[in-house]
Amino acid sequence: MNSSTLVVRPSQVALFVHKGQICDVFAPGTYKLATENIPIITKLLSLPTGFESPIKAEIYYVNTKQITGVKWGTQNPIMMRDNDFGNVRIRAFGVYSFKVENAKEFMKEMFGTNALYKANDVCEQVKPMVVQGFTDAVAESKISALDLAANYKEFSQVIVETSKSEFEKFGLKLCSLVIENISLPEDVEKALDERTKLGVLSDKMGTYTQYQAANAMRDAAKNPNGNNFAGMGMGISAGVGLGQVFTQTLANAKDEPRSTQGKTKKCSKCGAEVSSNAKFCPECGEKMPTNKFCTECGAKIEGNAKFCPECGAKL
């Protein structure tokens, strides 16, 4: 072993193993090996040999650079209790990075004396630990499913901190974790889409009812029984009935107040009778004051009122 040269490249650590025991750990650099400069070897060898007998030892190189872009994901949905939807199942996926922090512990706990141990082999052990950390973080946060997207970064930081002790057992360090997406079941997402549509359409009275009636007529038009005469009769009857309902719905829908229909007002300039819905006087062209209506109850607002006289809503 005397006069042997050991080269350890950057982002590497060399483990010196003799007779199954880790004798020393070498950081990056170039070393001239001799029994005198390895204290542990000195104790292991018998003194009568004078340290001139050849020593059979093994050198294991461990990559200490950060392994990035490793993907993780929940293999099965995670159950969580939500204030808005009750019990829901969520899935998540993202990427994480890790590195070997303690090469000595890593060798003892992970790869032993295997001649080759790849990053993929480490990922098989690390991935369940990451998923477990994510599950604990989401469950303990008690955050609503609708607010999960606003807390991706916070969840990532919590997972890195809480998983520290688990990774240290294997001589590893979880450097970073990124949550790319947290998704709900397809049925729940469809319900959310319908709820969003309702919120968009609710600014006009009766619009949602018209929307539902239109969908009913569309479904009736797709009636598969229309290929035979009996089916055609039933389809026509259903179409007529739905048409009547649709017409009645349109008549009852109050997208805007109709109490002003048929009423007139006088032009402030020439005194001519002008329709209440006219924007300009047809006689002199004077601009007519526009009618204002409360967006909450539909009541007509006179002048420059700041609050509705009917329901008190702020204008």
Side-chain angles (χ1 to χ4, degrees), residues 155-183:
F155 282 138
S156 299
Q157 294 173 349
V158 171
I159 295 170
V160 171
E161 290 298 325
T162 56
S163 302
K164 185 177 180 180
S165 60
E166 291 294 326
F167 277 75
E168 286 179 349
K169 294 178 182 178
F170 299 96
L172 301 173
K173 178 182 178 181
L174 180 61
C175 301
S176 65
L177 183 137
V178 176
I179 300 174
E180 296 183 10
N181 180 262
I182 299 177
S183 60

Side-chain angles (χ1 to χ4, degrees), residues 273-289:
E273 292 289 335
V274 183
S275 172
S276 60
N277 294 326
K279 295 182 179 180
F280 296 91
C281 175
E283 297 295 333
C284 64
E286 178 72 9
K287 184 176 180 180
M288 305 299 293

Side-chain angles (χ1 to χ4, degrees), residues 45-56:
L45 297 177
S46 57
L47 295 177
T49 62
F51 304 107
E52 295 179 358
S53 300
I55 302 172
K56 293 183 178 180

Side-chain angles (χ1 to χ4, degrees), residues 199-242:
V200 173
L201 298 174
S202 63
D203 60 338
K204 291 185 178 182
M205 299 176 61
T207 305
Y208 184 69
T209 307
Q210 297 180 32
Y211 170 74
Q212 295 286 32
N215 286 339
M217 294 186 66
R218 180 198 61 193
D219 295 338
K222 296 180 179 180
N223 187 356
N225 294 327
N227 293 330
N228 53 63
F229 291 105
M232 289 176 63
M234 294 176 63
I236 293 174
S237 299
V240 171
L242 287 172

Side-chain angles (χ1 to χ4, degrees), residues 26-241:
F26 295 90
T30 302
Y31 304 90
K32 291 292 184 179
L33 299 182
T35 54
E36 290 82 358
N37 59 23
I38 305 179
I40 299 180
I41 287 293
T42 303
K43 296 179 181 180
L44 295 178
L45 297 177
S46 57
L47 295 177
T49 62
F51 304 107
E52 295 179 358
S53 300
I55 302 172
K56 293 183 178 180
E58 297 174 331
I59 300 292
Y60 290 89
Y61 287 92
V62 178
N63 188 356
T64 58
K65 75 174 184 178
Q66 190 173 156
I67 308 299
T68 61
V70 185
K71 296 183 178 181
W72 68 273
T74 53
Q75 185 174 0
N76 297 313
I78 300 173
M79 183 69 71
M80 66 172 288
R81 192 184 303 276
D82 187 80
N83 295 330
D84 297 326
F85 307 108
N87 296 329
V88 295
R89 293 172 295 134
I90 62 172
R91 290 180 179 272
F93 63 87
V95 295
Y96 66 93
S97 63
F98 70 95
K99 68 177 183 178
V100 176
E101 185 78 359
N102 188 328
K104 204 169 183 180
E105 289 297 322
F106 179 66
M107 181 178 186
K108 289 180 180 179
E109 302 295 335
M110 294 290 287
F111 74 91
T113 57
N114 290 334
L116 183 62
Y117 200 73
K118 298 182 179 180
N120 290 336
D121 300 325
V122 182
C123 294
E124 292 298 323
Q125 176 67 30
V126 171
K127 179 180 175 181
M129 297 163 58
V130 173
V131 175
Q132 176 180 304
F134 169 79
T135 305
D136 291 342
V138 172
E140 293 177 0
S141 68
K142 298 181 181 179
I143 296 177
S144 172
L146 296 178
D147 298 326
L148 291 177
N151 294 274
Y152 282 5
K153 186 175 181 180
E154 290 74 11
F155 282 138
S156 299
Q157 294 173 349
V158 171
I159 295 170
V160 171
E161 290 298 325
T162 56
S163 302
K164 185 177 180 180
S165 60
E166 291 294 326
F167 277 75
E168 286 179 349
K169 294 178 182 178
F170 299 96
L172 301 173
K173 178 182 178 181
L174 180 61
C175 301
S176 65
L177 183 137
V178 176
I179 300 174
E180 296 183 10
N181 180 262
I182 299 177
S183 60
L184 295 168
E186 185 177 354
D187 295 340
V188 177
E189 291 182 351
K190 288 182 179 179
L192 285 175
D193 292 339
E194 291 296 328
R195 185 175 178 179
T196 303
K197 290 179 183 178
L198 179 59
V200 173
L201 298 174
S202 63
D203 60 338
K204 291 185 178 182
M205 299 176 61
T207 305
Y208 184 69
T209 307
Q210 297 180 32
Y211 170 74
Q212 295 286 32
N215 286 339
M217 294 186 66
R218 180 198 61 193
D219 295 338
K222 296 180 179 180
N223 187 356
N225 294 327
N227 293 330
N228 53 63
F229 291 105
M232 289 176 63
M234 294 176 63
I236 293 174
S237 299
V240 171

